[in-house]
Structures are given as structure tokens and as C-alpha cells.
Amino acid sequence: MYENSFPKKRFQITLEFLEKHLEKNSSILDLGVENPFSKIMSDAGYKVVNTSGEDLDDELTAISSFTGDAVTAFEIFEHLVAPYNALKAIKTKKLFISVPMKLWFASAYRNKNDVRDQHYHEFESWQLDYVLEKAGWEVIDSIKFTNPVKKFGIRPFLRRFTPRYYLVYCEKR
């Protein structure tokens, strides 16, 4: 998945944010299949299990049956048609989410060869906050950060100072 573009900055910021709000040794359900960041969380001392690649718009059993300490959804909800349903199904008291932010100068990501590798949503921060609140979550902390790329051009220049990711820590109300 990250053969030529390992997101070192995003992973570092995400891990520091997680460690700020969640004790080591906590059990985490990480939405999505096992991935490099799942391993990073495990190596950092968390007990991580992943979902199995099921369509989380339609199949919520893994989410609704998890009774651990927290759920993480890093770069997942932009792929769902209805993230509200997954948010409502979560039983834990703590939730960590990151999503790509909508950029005025770039279209939403789409891989025409893989229906599951496209962004149905790219969020403005208020949109994610709204769906979280509607689903019974309170945003406790959040950060936005950039994703500079090593290319030349107007869009790569804009990515140097335009926030690309929105990361939130929420608690169930």
C-alpha cells in the first residue's frame, strides 16, 4: 500500500496524538485491515486487532461486538458512504479518527480500478464534527496538519501550508 510513499509524518503525528490520550497496553479495534500503522501501534505497546476487510457500511458486527478500550479509524471514514452507522455502532468510550480534508484545489481521490480505493467523502472539519456529535460523540481534542509532497507545481506548493488531515479524539457522551 505504501511502496513509494510511506507517510512518516502522518504516522508520527498520529502516534503522538494517540499516546497523549490513551494509556499504553490499552486494547484497540483498528478499523480496516492490518496495515503498517497497526504494527506501529502494537510496537508502541497497544493491543491492536483489526477488522477483516468487510464493508463497514453494511457489516458492523466487528464494531458493535468490540468491548475494549478504544476504536481507531485512521483514513477509513472517507471510504464509507455512511460513516454515521459505524459511529453509532461503536461501544467503547474512546474514539480516534483521522480523515483527509477537502482541498479547494484538488478533486477527491479516486482509483477507477478499485471501487474500495476511493474517497466518497473528503471532509471539512465541521462536517466530521457534525456527524460525530449527531452519533453521540464529543470531540475532546483535534489537530490539523499538512502533507507536503516532493513535487513541483502550484498544488504541491499549496500542500506545504494547507492542512490535509484532520485528527480527532472523541469520547462517548
Side-chain angles (χ1 to χ4, degrees):
M1 174 169 33
Y2 297 114
E3 294 82 17
N4 299 314
S5 61
F6 192 80
K8 184 177 178 180
K9 176 183 177 181
R10 177 166 53 96
F11 284 178
Q12 179 180 347
I13 289 170
T14 303
L15 182 61
E16 289 171 0
F17 190 80
L18 184 67
E19 291 175 329
K20 177 180 173 184
H21 296 288
L22 190 64
E23 294 178 15
K24 299 287 176 113
N25 218 20
S26 295
S27 58
I28 295 172
L29 174 63
D30 185 35
L31 301 187
V33 296
E34 189 173 331
N35 60 77
F37 194 71
S38 303
K39 174 98 169 80
I40 289 169
M41 289 189 293
S42 292
D43 291 346
Y46 296 101
K47 299 174 196 163
V48 180
V49 295
N50 286 84
T51 53
S52 302
E54 64 270 34
D55 184 338
L56 296 175
D57 274 319
D58 296 320
E59 181 51 56
L60 301 172
T61 305
I63 295 172
S64 62
S65 63
F66 182 73
T67 58
D69 299 307
V71 169
T72 58
F74 301 125
E75 311 306 307
I76 295 296
F77 284 129
E78 66 273 13
H79 300 279
L80 301 183
V81 172
Y84 174 81
N85 298 325
L87 291 167
K88 285 293 284 184
I90 297 169
K91 303 285 191 259
T92 64
K93 300 285 186 207
K94 296 182 178 194
L95 172 63
F96 296 84
I97 299 174
S98 66
V99 293
M101 296 186 69
K102 183 178 185 300
L103 300 175
W104 60 269
F105 55 85
S107 299
Y109 172 75
R110 181 175 184 207
N111 179 344
K112 292 181 181 180
N113 298 316
D114 184 352
V115 70
R116 297 188 72 185
D117 185 24
Q118 57 190 2
H119 293 178
Y120 185 77
H121 303 278
E122 287 192 346
F123 294 84
E124 292 183 40
S125 55
W126 73 266
Q127 292 171 303
L128 182 61
D129 292 349
Y130 175 73
V131 74
L132 286 164
E133 182 180 323
K134 186 171 173 122
W137 294 94
E138 179 182 359
V139 175
I140 304 299
D141 192 9
S142 66
I143 58 172
K144 296 176 184 176
F145 55 97
T146 61
N147 182 44
V149 293
K150 295 177 182 171
K151 295 180 182 178
F152 293 103
I154 292 174
R155 284 195 275 186
F157 173 73
L158 292 171
R159 288 182 185 274
R160 293 188 177 279
F161 56 85
T162 304
R164 176 59 171 148
Y165 295 104
Y166 183 50
L167 176 60
V168 298
Y169 162 58
C170 309
E171 292 182 356
K172 187 80 102 179
R173 287 185 294 169

